[in-house]
C-alpha cells in the first residue's frame, strides 16, 4: 500500500513506513490518514513481524501542519493515530532525525522503541503556541522520563538533543551511522528477543512529592508570566499521576481543545505564522531577483557595524567603509568585542568567529565599493549627509547595484532622487542591535524596481530576519506608531504619573520593558537628537512636552551616564526610581499650569496602546502597510509587543474595535482632536461590524 505521502515497503519481515511530505513532514490530514492505514496494513500482514516509522528529507515529523491551525480538527485525529501505534501487536520503531517536535514526538512516544541520530532533537513545544500536547504527550512522557523531566520539557517547551533524550530515557538508542539500517536492526532485535511491544502507556508513573507540582506552578507564574498554557500543562501532567492512561488521555484532549480555542492560542498562532505571511508579498511572488554575492556597508558605527555582522553571519563578504582610520578601527574593535562576547557565552566557536571577522574587509576608499552588488548606507541621520553620500554612490556603484538606506525616519524617495537610478534605491531599516534584532523594514518608493523589492525581501530571509515590506512615510510603520506611544507617555508624566508607574503598567500589559527604561537602555541622547532634528515639524499651538530635553540637559543620558529617567548603581542595570526626576516632573507640571492627578494603570495602557492602534489603522488606510499582519509583525519582532496578544491590530480585534473606538472618542473629548481623532478606517470597521483581520470592504 502507498499513499501520496506515505511509502510502504517490506524489508524481509520488517514493514518500513516512510513519511514523505516536504518540507518538514508536517502532520497534515493526509499524513495522519496515510500512517494510520499503513499501521493497519502492517498489523494485518502475517509476514510482517515489526514496523519502522521513518521520514524522508531533512527531518522527522516536525509538528502539526500550520495550514490546518485555524481549521476545525479533521479526522483521523492525531490521538487515534498514536493510540493505534501504541496498541499495535507488533513492535513499532520510530527512527528520528532532524527535529521530532510536537505531534511528531508524540508519535515517537507512542512507538515501542525510539532510535535517533546524534544530531536529532526532540521536544513538545506546544505551550509556545498557547496549547498543550494533545495526543498523549503529557501522559506518556512522564511514564518514560519521570515527572520532573517531563515538567521541564513540556511546561518550558524545551527542545533537547538526542544525547540528553537518551540520558533521561526519552529515546532508547543514538546512532552515528545510517539511521534506516540501524532502525531495521533494532526492529529485528525486538523480534528475536520475543518481548513484543513495549507500550509506554503501560508503564507506571514514578511517584513524586506534591511539592514538585507546586514548585512548577510557582516557577511558571514567575518565568512565563501572562501565559496560560504552562499552568494547564502542569495540570495535565498531574493527571498522569492520578488516572489510568485511557482516562488521562481523555482529560488531556479536553484540555488541549479548550486551549486550542482560546484567544491566547489564536494570538500566539498569529505571531508564529506571521513571519511566513509577510514574506508572501502580493505581486512579487513571480518577480525575478538580482544576484547579491558581495555587499558593502557605509558607516562603521553602532548600526553600520551591526549590519556588517548580519551579512558576515550569513556568509556574505562585506566591505566596511568609513571616512577616517580612527572611526574605522573603533568600528572593527566593537565588532570583534561583540563576536568575542558570543564566544564567551559559548554560542560561537573561535573558528567561526575568525571566519566571520575575515569576511569583513575594512576600507577608507570609495573605489572599494564600486563592484559590490548591494550597498547599505548607515551614516548619520541627516538629509544633507544622505544627499552627499548618495550622489557619491551614484557615481561609483556599478550599474544594477542596489543602493539601500538604513534611515529610520527620512524620506526614501527623496534620497533616491539624489541619484540618476531611483529604481535601484530602497530602504533597509535594520533595528539596533542589528546583529541581534529580527526585524527588517524594507521600504519601497513608487519608483523602486519590483526586482529590487523582491531581492531585499529574499535577502532578509537569508539574514534570518523577519522582513516586512512597507511604504515610505515619516517613521514608516514601527517608529511612526512608536511616536504615538512616546508622546502619550510624556503627557502622562505631565498630568500626574511617574516613569516607574508608566513602565510598570506597560510591563504588566506584556512588554518586556517600559518606555522609560528602554530609553535609558538605548541612551536618551538618541531620542533627544532626533527630537531636535525634527523640531521644525512641530505645529504651532499643538501640545508638546520637553521633559526629555530637560533630563538630557542635566547630563542624564541613561544607563551609560548612571542616570536618566532612573538612576543606576555602578555595575548594575536595575532602574532605581529617582526623587530628583520626580521633583523635575512636578516642577514642570507646575510651570505649565497642569494640575497633577491620580492616573490609573488602565488609562496608561489605553493611551499608550490605543494611540498606536489608531495610527496603525491610518497606516493601513494609506497603504503604507498592505495588511494588518505587516503592522503586527513589525511590532512583535522589533518593539517587544507581547506575542501572546498577537500584535497591536490583532489585539485590537480581540479586545473589540468598538471598545477601542469608544476610548478614542472619550480621549478626543478630553484632550482634543489633535492626537485623538479616530481613524476613518476604524470607524468604518466598527460601523460594518468587521475587524482588521477579517475586513472584506476596503476603504475607498
Amino acid at each position: 500500500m502507498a499513499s501520496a505521502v506515505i511509502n510502504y515497503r517490506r524489508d524481509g519481515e520488517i514493514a518500513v513506513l516512510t513519511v514523505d511530505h516536504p518540507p518538514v513532514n508536517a502532520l497534515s490530514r493526509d499524513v495522519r490518514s496515510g500512517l494510520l492505514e499503513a499501521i493497519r496494513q502492517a498489523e494485518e500482514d502475517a509476514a510482517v513481524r515489526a514496523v519502522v516509522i521513518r521520514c524522508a528529507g531533512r527531518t522527522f515529523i516536525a509538528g502539526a501542519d500550520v495550514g490546518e491551525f485555524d481549521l476545525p480538527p479533521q479526522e483521523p485525529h492525531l490521538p487515534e493515530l498514536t493510540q493505534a501505534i501504541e496498541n499495535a501487536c507488533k513492535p513499532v520503531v520510530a527512527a528520528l532525525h532532524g527535529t521530532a517536535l510536537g505531534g511528531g514526538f508524540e508519535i515517537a512516544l507512542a512507538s515501542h522503541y525510539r532510535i535517533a541520530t546524534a544530531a536529532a532533537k526532540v521536544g513538545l513545544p506546544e505551550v509556545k503556541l498557547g496549547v498543550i500536547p494533545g495526543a498523549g504527550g503529557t501522559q506518556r512522557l512522564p511514564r518514560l522520563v519521570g515527572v520532573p523531566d517531563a515538567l521541564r520539557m513540556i511546561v518550558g517547551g524545551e527542545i533537547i538533543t538526542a544525547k540528553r533524550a537518551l540520558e533521561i530515557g526519552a529515546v532508547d538508542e543514538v546512532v552515528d551511522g545510517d539511521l534506516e539500517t540501524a532502525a531495521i536492526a533494532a526492529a529485528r532485535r525486538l523480534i528475536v528477543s520475543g518481548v513484543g511491544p513495549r507500550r509506554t502507556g503501560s508503564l507506571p508513573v514514578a511517584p513524586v512529592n506534591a511539592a514538585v507540582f507546586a514548585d512548577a506552578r510557582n516557577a511558571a507564574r514567575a518565568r512565563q508570566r501572562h501565559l496560560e498554557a504552562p499552568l494547564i500543562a502542569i495540570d495535565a501532567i498531574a493527571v498522569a499521576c492520578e488516572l489510568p492512561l485511557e482516562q488521562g488521555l481523555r482529560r488531556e484532549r479536553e484540555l488541549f481543545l479548550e486551549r486550542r480555542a482560546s484567544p491566547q492560542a489564536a494570538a500566539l498562532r498569529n505571531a508564529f505564522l506571521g513571519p511566513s505571511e509577510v514574506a508572501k508579498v502580493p505581486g512579487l511572488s513571480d518577480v525575478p531577483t538580482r544576484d547579491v554575492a558581495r555587499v558593502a556597508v557605509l558607516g562603521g558605527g553602532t548600526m553600520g557595524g551591526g549590519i556588517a555582522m548580519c551579512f558576515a553571519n550569513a556568509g556574505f563578504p562585506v566591505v566596511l567603509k568609513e571616512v577616517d582610520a580612527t572611526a574605522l578601527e573603533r568600528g572593527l574593535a566593537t565588532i570583534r568585542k561583540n563576536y568575542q562576547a558570543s564566544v564567551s557565552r559559548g554560542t560561537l566557536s573561535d573558528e567561526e568567529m575568525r571566519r566571520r571577522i575575515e569576511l569583513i574587509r575594512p576600507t577608507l576608499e570609495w573605489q572599494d565599493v564600486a563592484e559590490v552588488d548591494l550597498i547599505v548606507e548607515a551614516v548619520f541621520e541627516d538629509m544633507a549627509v544622505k544627499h552627499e553620500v548618495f550622489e557619491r554612490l551614484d557615481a561609483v556603484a556599478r550599474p544594477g547595484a542596489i543602493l539601500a538606506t538604513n534611515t529610520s525616519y527620512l524620506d526614501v524617495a527623496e534620497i533616491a532622487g539624489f541619484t540618476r537610478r531611483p529604481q535601484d534605491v530602497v530602504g533597509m531599516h535594520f533595528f539596533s542591535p542589528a546583529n541581534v534584532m529580527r526585524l527588517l523594514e524594507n521600504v519601497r518608493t513608487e519608483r523602486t524596481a519590483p526586482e529590487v523589492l523582491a531581492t531585499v525581501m529574499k535577502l532578509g530571509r537569508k539574514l534570518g530576519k523577519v522582513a516586512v515590506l512597507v511604504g515610505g512615510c515619516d517613521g514608516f510603520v514601527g517608529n511612526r506608531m512608536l511616536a504615538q506611544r512616546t508622546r502619550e507617555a510624556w503627557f502622562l508624566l505631565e498630568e500626574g504619573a511617574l516613569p516607574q508607574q508608566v513602565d510598570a503598567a506597560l510591563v504588566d500589559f506584556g512588554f518586556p520593558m517600559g518606555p522609560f527604561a528602554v530609553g535609558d537602555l538605548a541612551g536618551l541622547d538618541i531620542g533627544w537628537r532626533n527630537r531636535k532634528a525634527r523640531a521644525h515639524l512641530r505645529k504651532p499651538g499643538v501640545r508638546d512636552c520637553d521633559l526629555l530635553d530637560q533630563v538630557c540637559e542635566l547630563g542624564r543620558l541613561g544607563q551609560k551616564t548612571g542616570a536618566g529617567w532612573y538612576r543606576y548603581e555602578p555595575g548594575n542595570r536595575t532602574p532605581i526610581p529617582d526623587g530628583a526626576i520626580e521633583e523635575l516632573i512636578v516642577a514642570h507640571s507646575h510651570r505649565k499650569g497642569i494640575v497633577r492627578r491620580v492616573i490609573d494603570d488602565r488609562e496608561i495602557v489605553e493611551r499608550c496602546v490605543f494611540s498606536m492602534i489608531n495610527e496603525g489603522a491610518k497606516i493601513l488606510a494609506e497603504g503604507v502597510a498592505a495588511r494588518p499582519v505587516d503592522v503586527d509583525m513589525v511590532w512583535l519582532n522589533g518593539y517587544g509587543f507581547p506575542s501572546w496578544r498577537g500584535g497591536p491590530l490583532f489585539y485590537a480585534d480581540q479586545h473589540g474595535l468598538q471598545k477601542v473606538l469608544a476610548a478614542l472618542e472619550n480621549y478626543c473629548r478630553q484632550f482634543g482632536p489633535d492626537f485623538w481623532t479616530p481613524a476613518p478606517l476604524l470607524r468604518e470597521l466598527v460601523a460594518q461590524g468587521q475587524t482588521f483581520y477579517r475586513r472584506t470592504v476596503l476603504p475607498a
Side-chain angles (χ1 to χ4, degrees), residues 273-592:
L273 295 172
S276 298
E277 289 301 308
V278 297
K280 302 169 188 172
V281 180
L284 288 186
S285 58
D286 297 324
V287 174
T289 59
R290 297 184 185 179
D291 291 332
V292 175
R294 300 162 298 173
V295 177
V297 176
L298 307 185
T302 300
M303 283 305 304
I307 294 168
M309 291 177 68
C310 284
F311 284 100
N313 293 349
F316 288 90
V318 185
V319 174
L320 181 62
K321 186 190 177 305
E322 257 294 359
V323 294
D324 63 65
T326 301
L328 187 58
E329 182 49 44
R330 185 167 56 243
L332 291 171
T334 300
I335 289 171
R336 287 191 289 266
K337 179 182 176 183
N338 290 337
Y339 277 133
Q340 188 59 57
S342 297
V343 172
S344 299
R345 289 192 299 268
T347 58
L348 191 71
S349 68
D350 278 307
E351 181 182 359
E352 180 62 16
M353 176 184 72
R354 286 191 295 271
R355 187 189 71 81
R356 294 181 184 185
I357 289 175
E358 287 171 359
L359 284 170
I360 301 174
R361 180 164 68 92
T363 187
L364 300 175
E365 303 300 326
W366 279 103
Q367 197 54 39
D368 288 337
V369 308
E371 294 302 319
V372 302
D373 307 305
L374 166 71
I375 303 169
V376 182
E377 165 272 310
V379 301
F380 194 70
E381 190 78 336
D382 178 272
M383 191 60 86
V385 177
K386 307 284 190 188
H387 190 162
E388 179 183 348
V389 167
F390 273 81
E391 278 193 343
R392 191 67 181 267
L393 281 179
D394 193 32
V396 302
R398 71 166 182 81
I402 297 173
L403 310 182
T405 174
N406 180 56
T407 181
S408 302
Y409 286 94
L410 300 179
D411 187 345
V412 178
E414 183 178 349
I415 293 171
F418 302 147
T419 75
R420 294 163 296 177
R421 50 174 105 180
Q423 73 279 0
D424 294 333
V425 178
V426 68
M428 292 184 74
H429 178 207
F430 290 81
F431 285 71
S432 184
N435 54 302
V436 174
M437 296 294 289
R438 294 186 71 204
L439 178 63
L440 172 63
E441 277 184 316
N442 285 325
V443 187
R444 66 183 185 274
T445 75
E446 290 185 357
R447 301 173 71 180
T448 308
E451 64 267 21
V452 169
L453 299 178
T455 300
V456 295
M457 290 299 292
K458 180 180 179 181
L459 193 56
R461 295 192 295 276
K462 286 185 177 180
L463 297 178
K465 303 294 186 185
V466 176
V468 183
L469 186 62
V470 303
C473 67
D474 185 42
F476 316 130
V477 170
N479 283 340
R480 176 172 165 180
M481 292 172 67
L482 178 65
Q484 314 309 310
R485 188 184 80 173
T486 301
R487 178 197 68 236
E488 289 307 310
W490 290 344
F491 287 172
L492 285 161
L493 296 189
E494 288 186 325
E495 295 165 28
L498 293 173
Q500 57 267 30
Q501 184 193 359
V502 174
D503 281 357
L506 289 173
V507 168
D508 191 57
F509 176 80
F511 283 97
M513 297 175 70
F516 296 106
V518 168
D520 278 359
L521 176 63
L524 297 184
D525 50 324
I526 296 173
W528 188 31
R529 184 170 61 240
N530 185 56
R531 176 174 156 78
K532 288 187 288 187
R534 298 161 59 79
H536 65 286
L537 299 176
R538 294 178 209 144
K539 298 177 182 177
V542 175
R543 182 180 176 183
D544 181 49
C545 175
D546 67 351
L547 274 170
L548 177 65
D549 304 2
Q550 296 177 49
V551 173
C552 291
E553 285 164 1
L554 293 173
R556 301 177 64 117
L557 305 181
Q559 289 187 14
K560 61 188 174 185
T561 59
W565 293 107
Y566 299 92
R567 65 180 180 86
Y568 300 86
E569 298 291 349
N572 192 330
R573 292 174 174 261
T574 303
I576 302 170
D578 193 340
I581 286 294
E582 181 174 354
E583 290 176 8
L584 182 150
I585 292 170
V586 170
H588 167 87
S589 301
H590 180 72
R591 282 195 307 274
K592 293 191 73 171

